[in-house]
């Protein structure tokens, strides 16, 4: 075949559940990144098995393609294309194709050439209207609608251009006057001159002077120039890729910025961290590509960060909620100044460092007051739930507390921890673990399509209620999932009911938490 076949499954797994490609002209090709990670590895693919591929193939069938081409407006066409042909192929191929570094795999270009072709065919059905048909949420500030006057940025690789000038796939006569000069200061200040919500930093905070209104500086430039963020800036300067992210005006970021005092407090206890560990911590403080104002955070209880470890099914997240001390992240980190708007995002300052969560096994072991019985059950049953070694467990744990075990009664507990009860002890925690599917109260990562819920999107990430609804929303509604557990043939029926910041969760019809 001209592009090679599947990865070689006799070799070790590499990235994206794939294996090294050893056939075709790209055999053993070496690529340098995966997602946002500098990760030198062999070009990899990991085709799904036949039954999984057949189920996904329905989304790229002639019938689905024809239905997509029958859509009457751009937004409907785009939705059908995204949820069908666009997302189906990466899910089938996997490996390097799973992340936004998918162009590592030459097949990516075949796939996107076909998507362009389908768009062209759809336009030709009514060219006069559809060459100007463009709508949906604005990707940079999603409380505004998309417009033909929106500017497409290319991270300095090419000159920015307005959407209106790339609506035709056949216009090969590039007109210099349609391109924007990347070095034009008026253009560079474009994001800073748009309307932004009112600044709300605490004037009593030492960070009050760190809050210029409508700053024309990037996140990186402002951090580097602030006397209150010198130590964070020193750490960032050791990692060029993070400097580039914070300095890039092609997309927005939201950063939780620890003060100098927060870093001093942290490094009193952890003085010998590796450069890689520090990079992970820095990425865990950054969310992209949306601007998240402080008013949004309590209504969306977890947010994805740029830390995307290979041991997870998706980006690592932090948790946000109101507490007696105000807006709180991950239970004990507090936002002390917020909504500091800059040219490429927003900054919220925090009083402590955010440390990426430990593995599931470590978390269970570190909560003896609540989970010591479960920890003992896992050790006795020789169960491994994600200890960071070899192939750690990825997924969701519905962890039964010590009180849950007490409800079984003394005799049942005594039996479980005997030799005769060992097989039941092994089955019990297995029924509480859902592999490959990571479920949050407002998002779901799915690296292996098992769910049969009609509410579940076919993409690997389901996030609600944004970006579809933007910032002005009151999230409410019910999501239902059937999640296959580690116990063969057994699933959990999970229901998540949201009303604004109030969330209740039921499993198998019984409410477990709210």
């Amino acid at each position: 075949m001209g592009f090679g076949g599947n990865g070689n499954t006799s070799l070790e797994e590499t990235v994206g559940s794939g294996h090294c490609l050893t056939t075709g002209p790209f055999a053993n090709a070496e690529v340098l990144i995966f997602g946002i990670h500098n990760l030198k590895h062999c070009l990899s693919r990991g085709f799904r098995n036949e039954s999984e591929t057949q189920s996904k193939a329905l989304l790229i069938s002639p019938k689905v393609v024809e239905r997509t081409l029958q859509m009457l407006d751009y937004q409907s066409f785009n939705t059908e294309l995204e949820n069908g042909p666009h997302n189906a192929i990466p899910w089938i191929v996997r490996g390097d194709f799973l992340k936004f570094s998918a162009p590592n795999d030459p097949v990516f270009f075949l796939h996107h050439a076909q998507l362009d072709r389908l768009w062209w065919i759809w336009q030709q059905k009514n060219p006069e209207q559809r060459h100007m048909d463009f709508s949906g949420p604005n990707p940079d500030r999603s409380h505004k609608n998309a417009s033909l006057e929106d500017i497409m940025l290319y991270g300095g690789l090419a000159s920015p251009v307005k959407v209106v000038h790339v609506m035709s796939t056949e216009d090969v006569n590039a007109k210099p006057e349609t391109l924007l000069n990347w070095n034009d200061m008026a253009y560079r200040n474009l994001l800073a001159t748009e309307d932004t919500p009112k600044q709300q930093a605490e004037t009593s905070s030492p960070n009050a002077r760190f809050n210029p209104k409508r700053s024309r500086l990037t996140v990186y430039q402002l951090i580097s120039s602030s006397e209150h963020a010198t130590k964070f800036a020193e750490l960032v300067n050791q990692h060029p890729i993070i400097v580039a992210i914070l300095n890039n005006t092609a997309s927005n970021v939201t950063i939780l910025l620890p003060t100098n005092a927060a870093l001093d407090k942290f490094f009193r206890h952890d003085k010998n961290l590796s450069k890689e560990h520090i990079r992970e911590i820095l990425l865990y403080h950054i969310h992209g590509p949306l601007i998240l104002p402080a008013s949004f955070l309590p209504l969306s209880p977890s947010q994805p960060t740029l830390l995307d470890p290979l041991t997870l099914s998706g980006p690592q997240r932090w948790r946000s909620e109101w507490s007696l001390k105000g807006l709180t992240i991950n239970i004990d980190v507090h936002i002390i100044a917020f909504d500091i708007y800059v040219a490429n995002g927003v900054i919220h300052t925090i009083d402590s460092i955010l440390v990426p969560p430990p593995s599931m096994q470590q978390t269970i072991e570190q909560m003896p007051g609540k989970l010591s019985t479960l920890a003992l059950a896992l050790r006795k049953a020789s169960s491994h739930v994600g200890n960071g070694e070899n192939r750690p467990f990825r997924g969701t744990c519905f962890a039964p507390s010590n009180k849950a075990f007490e409800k079984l009664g003394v005799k049942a507990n005594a039996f479980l921890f005997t030799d005769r009860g060992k097989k039941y002890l092994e089955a019990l925690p297995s029924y509480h673990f859902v592999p490959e599917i990571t479920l949050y109260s407002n998002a779901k990562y799915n690296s292996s399509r098992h769910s049969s819920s009609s509410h579940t999107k076919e993409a690997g990430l389901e996030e609600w209620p944004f970006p579809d609804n933007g910032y002005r929303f009151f999230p409410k509604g019910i999501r239902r999932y059937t999640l296959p557990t580690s116990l063969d043939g057994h699933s959990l029926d999970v229901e998540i009911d949201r009303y604004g910041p109030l969330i209740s969760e039921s499993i198998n019809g019984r409410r477990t938490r709210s």
Side-chain angles (χ1 to χ4, degrees):
M1 293 178 61
F3 287 81
N6 193 12
N8 188 339
T9 56
S10 67
L11 301 177
E12 289 185 2
E13 184 177 309
T14 51
V15 297
S17 300
H19 303 266
C20 182
L21 180 65
T22 57
T23 59
F26 305 103
N28 301 304
E30 190 175 82
V31 292
L32 302 179
I33 62 172
F34 181 66
I36 62 170
H37 296 280
N38 292 318
L39 184 66
K40 183 185 292 187
H41 63 282
C42 177
L43 175 61
S44 301
R45 294 178 190 150
F47 293 173
R48 298 279 180 173
N49 63 41
E50 184 176 355
S51 61
E52 290 178 323
T53 300
Q54 286 178 348
S55 68
K56 187 63 67 172
L58 296 175
L59 295 175
I60 54 177
S61 67
K63 182 178 180 180
V64 169
V65 171
E66 183 58 33
R67 184 182 70 199
T68 301
L69 295 174
Q70 294 304 316
M71 295 295 106
L72 299 179
D73 61 85
Y74 171 80
Q75 194 162 359
S76 300
F77 168 78
N78 185 50
T79 299
E80 288 289 325
L81 193 68
E82 287 293 310
N83 292 339
H86 186 195
N87 288 332
I89 299 298
W91 188 88
I92 293 172
V93 176
R94 295 193 299 184
D96 278 283
F97 218 145
L98 270 183
K99 297 286 185 178
F100 67 79
S101 51
N104 284 349
D105 192 333
V107 172
F108 168 89
F109 298 96
L110 289 181
H111 178 42
H112 277 260
Q114 168 67 350
L115 295 174
D116 282 349
R117 174 178 170 272
L118 293 178
W119 185 39
W120 176 83
I121 293 173
W122 179 80
Q123 286 183 319
Q124 300 316 299
K125 292 176 179 289
N126 188 350
E128 185 174 343
Q129 175 185 331
R130 293 182 179 180
H131 276 142
M132 292 292 110
D133 190 353
F134 177 68
S135 59
N138 183 298
D140 289 328
R141 288 176 171 83
S142 60
H143 61 285
K144 295 186 176 182
N145 292 326
S147 163
L148 289 169
E149 294 300 304
D150 288 346
I151 295 170
M152 300 176 65
L153 306 174
Y154 298 98
L157 298 175
S159 295
V161 62
K162 289 184 178 180
V163 171
V164 68
H165 297 303
V166 293
M167 289 296 291
S168 171
T169 61
E170 298 178 291
D171 186 4
V172 296
N173 299 313
K175 301 174 182 178
E177 62 270 20
T178 68
L179 301 177
L180 298 168
N181 183 357
W182 179 259
N183 295 315
D184 183 352
M185 184 56 70
Y187 165 70
R188 295 293 298 272
N189 294 336
L190 174 70
L191 293 179
T193 59
E194 296 222 339
D195 291 337
T196 56
K198 184 179 179 181
Q199 309 297 313
Q200 300 180 46
E202 294 286 346
T203 55
S204 60
S205 165
N207 297 286
R209 288 180 294 165
F210 181 65
N211 186 27
K213 293 184 178 181
R214 297 183 181 181
S215 171
R216 293 181 176 183
L217 301 176
T218 65
V219 172
Y220 174 73
Q221 290 168 340
L222 198 145
I223 289 174
S224 299
S225 63
S226 170
E227 61 181 296
H228 302 293
T230 55
K231 296 188 176 180
F232 190 82
E234 288 175 4
L235 296 178
V236 168
N237 286 332
Q238 298 174 24
H239 302 272
I241 190 171
I242 298 179
V243 172
I245 291 169
L246 300 183
N247 218 16
N248 181 22
T249 57
S251 63
N252 289 315
V253 295
T254 298
I255 182 169
L256 301 180
L257 175 64
T259 62
N260 288 339
L263 281 159
D264 287 339
K265 179 172 64 175
F266 177 76
F267 282 107
R268 278 201 297 268
H269 304 287
D270 296 275
K271 297 180 180 179
N272 299 314
L273 294 180
S274 67
K275 186 175 180 179
E276 176 62 21
H277 194 178
I278 290 176
R279 186 181 74 93
E280 291 178 354
I281 290 175
L282 294 176
L283 289 172
Y284 190 51
H285 286 76
I286 307 170
H287 165 91
L290 295 177
I291 291 178
L292 302 179
S295 59
F296 177 88
L297 295 177
L299 294 177
S300 190
S302 73
Q303 299 296 341
T305 70
L306 295 190
L307 177 60
D308 195 358
L310 301 180
T311 52
L312 280 182
S313 304
Q316 188 58 267
R317 303 173 77 91
W318 35 258
R319 170 184 173 184
S320 55
E321 61 187 341
W322 284 110
S323 71
L324 295 177
K325 293 186 177 181
L327 194 52
T328 302
I329 307 295
N330 286 3
I331 301 177
D332 58 359
V333 176
H334 306 105
I335 293 181
I336 56 177
F338 52 88
D339 289 353
I340 305 167
Y341 288 92
V342 290
N344 62 337
V346 66
I347 299 171
H348 309 298
T349 60
I350 53 178
D351 64 354
S352 300
I353 290 286
L354 287 172
V355 179
S359 71
M360 193 178 293
Q361 182 77 49
Q362 291 171 328
T363 301
I364 292 171
E365 294 285 352
Q366 291 169 6
M367 300 179 67
K370 292 185 176 181
L371 300 175
S372 59
T373 310
L374 175 61
L376 178 61
L378 293 173
R379 291 194 296 268
K380 287 281 188 180
S382 301
S383 297
H384 300 287
V385 188
N387 55 11
E389 300 173 3
N390 299 323
R391 290 178 56 102
F393 178 88
R394 298 186 301 185
T396 303
C397 173
F398 296 94
S401 65
N402 293 341
K403 289 185 177 180
F405 275 95
E406 287 176 8
K407 291 179 181 179
L408 294 176
V410 175
K411 291 184 178 180
N413 275 279
F415 172 75
L416 285 173
F417 288 91
T418 64
D419 289 341
R420 286 190 304 149
K422 185 174 181 179
K423 68 176 182 179
Y424 301 101
L425 188 65
E426 290 177 343
L428 193 148
S430 295
Y431 187 52
H432 289 75
F433 295 118
V434 177
E436 300 297 329
I437 298 174
T438 308
L439 184 66
Y440 299 85
S441 57
N442 67 322
K444 176 172 173 284
Y445 297 150
N446 190 2
S447 61
S448 179
R449 290 299 302 163
H450 296 295
S451 177
S452 59
S453 169
S454 60
H455 293 273
T456 304
K457 294 180 182 179
E458 292 301 319
L461 164 64
E462 180 179 355
E463 184 110 38
W464 68 88
F466 82 97
D468 295 334
N469 298 332
Y471 298 142
R472 298 175 183 174
F473 70 96
F474 187 84
K476 59 183 178 180
I478 298 175
R479 302 269 171 159
R480 296 184 178 89
Y481 297 97
T482 298
L483 305 178
T485 69
S486 296
L487 186 63
D488 288 344
H490 292 78
S491 300
L492 297 173
D493 292 321
V494 179
E495 179 178 288
I496 299 174
D497 190 355
R498 296 192 63 192
Y499 190 80
L502 304 177
I503 301 173
S504 66
E505 186 178 281
S506 300
I507 302 176
N508 291 351
R510 304 182 67 177
R511 193 171 76 170
T512 58
R513 68 182 183 90
S514 61

